[in-house]
Structure formats: C-alpha cells, structure tokens
Amino acid sequence: MTSSERVTSRRTVLTALAAAAAAGTPLIGQLAAAAPAFAGDLEYANNTALYQDPNLVEGTAYSRRYRRHEKFDLKQGEKYDFPRTAVLALHGGGIEIGTSELALGIAGYSPGDAAGAPVLPVTYDYWMFEGLLSSGNKALHVTSKNCDDHVALSLARSHLNVLSLHGCQYDQLGMAEPGVWPPSSDPRLAVVGGLNPAFRTALVSELTKAGFPAIDAFDPKYGTRLADFNGSHVTNPCNLTMLGKGAQIEMTTELRQSLFDDYSSRSARAATWNGEFVKFRDACRRAITTVEAGQPVL
C-alpha cells in the first residue's frame, strides 16, 4: 500500500467512525472492530500523538503508572547503593495482557495493590502504559522504538539496566517447524531480546531452570526469524539505558495465561496470580541480581 493509499484508508475509517466519536464513544476503541485491515496503518506514531488525541481520556481509555524510589546519601564517610534496574511494560492493561501485572511483580509489588507497601524486600523502579478500553485496546499500541513518553525515557536513561515486558502470539514467531524448538508443541514460550547479552543469558538461564521454555532471540540457530521480536532497535527503551543496552521478554499468550488462574480481566488477574506467576517473577529477579552483581556502583 502506498503512502497516499494509507492516508486515504485512514481518512475513510476515521470518517466512518466519526458518528461514534460524536456520540461520546472513544474513537480509537472502535478501530479494531471497524477497520482491522488498517490496524497497522492507524497505529499512533508515538506516545505524544496518542496523548494528544482528544477522543482519548487518560484514566478512561488508558493510564500511566510509575514508581521511582527515593534514594539519598547524606553521610560523608559512607556509600549507599543506587537503583540500577527499571522494569517497563509499554503495552500493559488490555494491550499485551499480563505484562503490567508482571512488571509490578518483578518490581517487588503486588499486582493487586500497586499503591501499597512492597511485598518483597528489594524493589525496582517501574513504568507502565495500560489500555483500559472495554475492547479494541490493540489500537492503543505504540511500537516500542517510537515510545517518547518522558517518564519512561527518563527512567530508562537513568538506569544501567531495563527489563521491558511484552506479549506476542506463538504463531507469530514461526517456531512451529519440527526440530526448531523442542518441544515445538509447547506454546508457552519466552523470547528474550535486547542488546545486553549478559542480561539475555541470565534471563534465559533462570527462566529455563524455573521450568519455562525460554530462548535467546539472537541465537544463530533461529537466523532472522525472530528479528521482529529481538528488541534490537537502538531507540527501543530497553536499550536507552546508561549502558546503551538492556533486555526485553516477549511472552506468548499461552505463557501469560498460565501465570493467572483467571486471565479474563484486570481485576481477575490482580486477584488470581498464581504459583507460576511467582516462579516467573522470581526467575526474572534472580537474573537482575546476577547482572547487577557485575555492576557495582562506583
């Protein structure tokens, strides 16, 4: 499709949905159902464009949540630790379901009580964008490399490491051929990417030991089949760290579903994260600990 055809397609869809918007229905919430063929062409160019859409109301159509822990060193003769890792969920809520709950868990908080006290002794800074629409949340997806949210980028650039969490579908990965990934019948797959090879190795190792099929998206055996899922773009927030490299995990729907007893809604997920969730959470936290052990604060 040419650029002029994309503009025409976009205008056609927007015109067709104008009545819904005038009636008070968030326009973007209708896109997935009304114009699935144009979903890729209608994706917002960046977060700024999404935030400036008058048809989207923050708190109704989407939300942004973050936590930056206060740290200070007021003693001249002592040195204190400083946060080295941040956890991001760029497509949380109803967009890539389960990623915002996992971000909270890995950061040390309960998915059911994000504003409360931490549930683990070590906590990490986090940021998440969540789709809140009753349907059509995929239309709120902004490609990672185009993320320009000021808080998200500030967190990334002020940390040595970022772990960014994403969701995908197994059949998007091209992994079903016999012998490519044994057991090929198990769709609960975690594809680990990002430009920090040490972080990728730690994540694959810990997730595998915890019982989750996990692969390195850069493993030569997969060739270029995982290029769209390897988090290699230099403007992907996972790589906009102080070191210019980080990690991300693409988790299949089946994997994310297995982490909750009830996957059907935000409230259900917040209340029914299960033992598999804890195992996945703790595996990621162990990987972070491994990476940070080689990064002393000077």
Side-chain angles (χ1 to χ4, degrees):
M1 181 180 288
T2 67
S3 59
S4 62
E5 288 173 329
R6 282 194 291 270
V7 171
T8 300
S9 299
R10 185 185 182 98
R11 185 181 301 116
T12 299
V13 174
L14 295 180
T15 300
L17 296 174
T25 303
L27 176 60
I28 198 67
Q30 308 298 317
L31 295 180
F38 306 125
D41 300 316
L42 290 167
E43 182 172 286
Y44 288 103
N46 47 41
N47 291 73
T48 297
L50 187 152
Y51 301 154
Q52 291 176 344
D53 187 336
N55 296 295
L56 298 177
V57 177
E58 185 163 9
T60 300
Y62 67 90
S63 70
R64 292 174 283 179
R65 290 191 280 166
Y66 74 91
R67 186 183 293 255
R68 189 160 196 164
H69 298 83
E70 182 182 20
K71 298 289 183 180
F72 50 87
D73 180 351
L74 302 178
K75 296 185 178 180
Q76 293 178 335
E78 298 181 26
K79 185 179 73 172
Y80 290 81
D81 201 7
F82 194 79
R84 284 166 283 177
T85 302
V87 184
L88 305 182
L90 305 181
H91 310 128
I95 306 172
E96 294 172 356
I97 297 173
T99 58
S100 48
E101 289 83 5
L102 268 175
L104 288 169
I106 295 170
Y109 293 87
S110 168
D113 186 22
V119 295
L120 296 173
V122 176
T123 57
Y124 302 102
D125 294 349
Y126 65 79
W127 181 91
M128 65 186 70
F129 176 91
E130 298 177 282
L132 303 181
L133 298 171
S134 58
S135 63
N137 281 286
K138 297 296 183 184
L140 298 172
H141 182 281
V142 174
T143 300
S144 297
K145 66 181 181 181
N146 296 330
C147 176
D148 65 349
D149 183 276
H150 292 170
V151 177
L153 297 186
S154 174
L155 280 180
R157 293 187 183 279
S158 62
H159 287 73
L160 295 173
N161 313 298
V162 161
L163 176 58
S164 188
L165 304 171
H166 297 270
C168 64
Q169 297 177 21
Y170 183 81
D171 59 8
Q172 293 177 307
L173 301 174
M175 302 297 290
E177 294 87 341
V180 171
W181 168 245
S184 59
S185 60
D186 189 349
R188 299 176 308 116
L189 185 60
V191 178
V192 181
L195 294 179
N196 188 330
F199 205 168
R200 294 199 312 268
T201 297
L203 285 164
V204 171
S205 175
E206 292 295 346
L207 288 170
T208 300
K209 287 190 292 186
F212 299 98
I215 60 174
D216 187 331
F218 288 85
D219 190 321
K221 75 174 70 173
Y222 305 116
T224 60
R225 76 173 65 239
L226 297 174
D228 291 337
F229 302 92
N230 66 12
S232 62
H233 202 282
V234 293
T235 63
N236 184 321
C238 79
N239 298 318
L240 292 177
T241 67
M242 295 171 66
L243 301 176
K245 57 186 179 180
Q248 72 169 37
I249 307 176
E250 291 273 4
M251 298 166 284
T252 61
T253 302
E254 292 81 3
L255 172 55
R256 287 174 283 129
Q257 287 176 333
S258 73
L259 307 180
F260 305 90
D261 292 335
D262 187 344
Y263 184 73
S264 63
S265 67
R266 287 189 301 128
S267 60
R269 292 189 299 275
T272 67
W273 47 287
N274 57 27
E276 292 298 290
F277 180 100
V278 172
K279 289 196 298 183
F280 195 98
R281 176 199 72 186
D282 291 351
C284 291
R285 287 173 61 87
R286 287 193 298 272
I288 292 172
T289 299
T290 297
V291 172
E292 289 189 346
Q295 300 170 329
V297 176
L298 301 178

